[in-house]
Amino acid sequence: MIVLGIETSCDETAVAVVDGERRILAERVLSQLAEHRPYGGVVPEIAARSHLDHLDRLVAETMAEARLDFPALAGVAATGGPGLIGGVIVGVMTGKAIAAVHNLPFVAVNHLEGHALTARLTNDVGYPYLLLLVSGGHCQLLVVEGLGRYRRLGTTLDDAAGEAFDKTAKLLGLGYPGGPALERYAVDGDPSRFDLPRPMLGRPGFDFSFSGLKTAVRQLVEATPALDDAMRADIAAAFQARVAESLADRTRRALKHCRQKHVPLTAMVIAGGVAANATIRATLTAVAMEGALPLVAPPPRLCTDNAAMIAWAGIERLRLGLTDGFDFAPRPRWPLDAGAADLADGAALR
Ligand code: KG4
Ligand code: ZN
């Protein structure tokens, strides 16, 4: 089963061809970073225009590299949301057009489901597993019980983890995108020099909060007129350590909860762009070990936005006969734990 995947929900135009044996036959990820950098963030209109300019060419290149013609495909999967609506429309329209012309099934994939299932593509992880999804728009702890069955334990009360990285990097003047820039600065920093707050540590439940930490950094920066690189590095290191601690605390509680409820977890999985962060990966590896579970963290290039994860989610859906009609409407908002309801309303059982 070979599926073409298309991802256009944010600032990466991505195309991939993946097969049922979990092989990525070819893939392209075109970053729009340079186009958005002057604005310090993603500009939705520029993103949509850029997806439109490049997507057809990337599809042709990817198919050529995989040495495939469209009739060899079992289906076409495109991100159907959540995300910047202009970009999602471009991807969905392109996916539908290819499917219609070649008489192939079309699958609209929830972008978050793509992140959630990546560990099955990379490591063949079995259900159920505990997932920490940490990206620019999301910060959630979920039990992935099966395809389309996501039980959300906790979410962020304010900023997503990646958003907190991006905003804090901006405060420190580290450039854009913030997450990777902040991580590079933190390498030379001393995480113990500044006493930043420890968000949600020891609190009941599994929710996250990062706005207090960000505010503490702002106050620190405002109180320090001559911020030099050494201080930037120390603040970056402290911030990163606090985020890692907070993610670890919440995850540890969730693992304990699953154990008490006798959920037979096979692994602890991290996904989303922030999962590319080495300190966070190391901290969560230790948490998983405490719970006697393997930590599965996809390689960084498959943690950030890509189309292999969309193709793979398409394969999992097609295996169950789940497809979408050409009347599928792109969804700017599409919570993952509404997946069960979605099976009833959005997708048709073939
Ligand atoms: O999953 P993703 O590529 O896009 C979304 O769906 O949001 O995640 C992007 C987010 C951005 O906020 C980015 O700053 C963050 O992931 N990120 C990182 C790192 N690499 C990307 N945050 C911390 N450390 C990193 N190395
Ligand atoms: Zn993403």
Side-chain angles (χ1 to χ4, degrees):
M1 182 183 281
I2 302 174
V3 169
L4 172 70
I6 296 172
E7 157 61 38
T8 55
S9 67
C10 193
D11 60 344
E12 263 96 22
T13 315
V15 179
V17 182
V18 176
D19 74 8
E21 305 294 314
R22 306 178 15 244
R23 286 181 298 224
I24 300 172
L25 304 181
E27 65 173 321
R28 290 280 187 282
V29 181
L30 182 69
S31 168
Q32 303 174 354
L33 267 183
E35 290 166 79
H36 299 292
R37 185 172 280 123
Y39 307 94
V42 179
V43 182
E45 291 77 11
I46 294 176
R49 170 64 58 186
S50 184
H51 289 306
L52 199 56
D53 286 345
H54 299 291
L55 185 54
D56 288 350
R57 175 177 56 82
L58 293 177
V59 169
E61 283 177 13
T62 308
M63 291 295 289
E65 192 189 314
R67 297 175 187 280
L68 289 171
D69 293 324
F70 289 111
L73 298 174
V76 181
T79 299
L84 300 173
I85 192 65
V88 177
I89 289 173
V90 172
V92 165
M93 288 303 161
T94 304
K96 282 181 186 173
I98 296 169
V101 168
H102 299 283
N103 200 19
L104 297 167
F106 170 71
V107 186
V109 171
N110 183 317
H111 178 85
L112 303 174
E113 180 168 76
H115 281 304
L117 301 182
T118 302
R120 291 173 54 76
L121 166 66
T122 58
N123 296 67
D124 206 10
V125 175
Y127 298 122
Y129 51 88
L130 182 70
L131 171 72
L132 174 65
L133 177 59
V134 273
S135 71
H138 301 272
C139 188
Q140 305 183 349
L141 270 164
L142 301 144
V143 179
V144 180
E145 298 173 333
L147 183 73
R149 290 177 27 228
Y150 311 98
R151 191 177 299 280
R152 191 164 78 184
L153 299 179
T155 188
T156 182
L157 304 176
D158 39 62
D159 293 346
E163 192 181 357
F165 265 95
D166 293 336
K167 289 177 176 171
T168 302
K170 207 168 185 174
L171 284 172
L172 293 172
L174 303 186
Y176 169 85
L182 194 146
E183 181 176 22
R184 277 195 300 279
Y185 259 81
V187 169
D188 300 320
D190 169 6
S192 62
R193 177 169 166 200
F194 294 105
D195 191 20
L196 295 177
R198 294 176 154 72
M200 304 299 276
L201 224 67
R203 294 266 201 97
F206 315 99
D207 286 337
F208 302 89
S209 166
F210 297 106
S211 71
L213 181 56
K214 182 192 62 194
T215 303
V217 172
R218 171 176 295 132
Q219 286 164 348
L220 193 57
V221 169
E222 282 168 2
T224 317
L227 201 63
D228 60 21
D229 262 5
M231 276 178 98
R232 283 198 182 90
D234 291 343
I235 297 172
F239 169 84
Q240 181 176 263
R242 293 298 175 270
V243 173
E245 256 175 63
S246 184
L247 295 176
D249 177 75
R250 311 278 83 198
T251 304
R252 200 178 278 121
R253 288 183 64 87
L255 284 176
K256 200 169 153 199
H257 173 79
C258 288
R259 208 160 42 243
Q260 281 165 356
K261 297 279 177 197
H262 305 291
V263 182
L265 296 177
T266 63
M268 149 92 230
V269 172
I270 53 173
V274 180
N277 184 284
T279 300
I280 288 170
R281 289 165 89 94
T283 307
L284 290 164
T285 302
V287 172
M289 273 171 67
E290 288 166 25
L293 286 174
L295 179 85
V296 176
R301 76 182 168 86
L302 293 176
C303 284
T304 49
D305 288 349
N306 65 89
M309 69 180 190
I310 302 303
W312 176 256
I315 288 174
E316 291 225 22
R317 293 200 150 250
L318 284 167
R319 278 179 177 160
L320 296 189
L322 295 167
T323 65
D324 293 272
F326 291 139
D327 58 347
F328 173 87
R331 301 176 184 177
R333 291 175 182 280
W334 188 357
L336 195 52
D337 46 353
D342 162 59
L343 290 187
D345 72 36
L349 266 170
R350 291 200 319 159

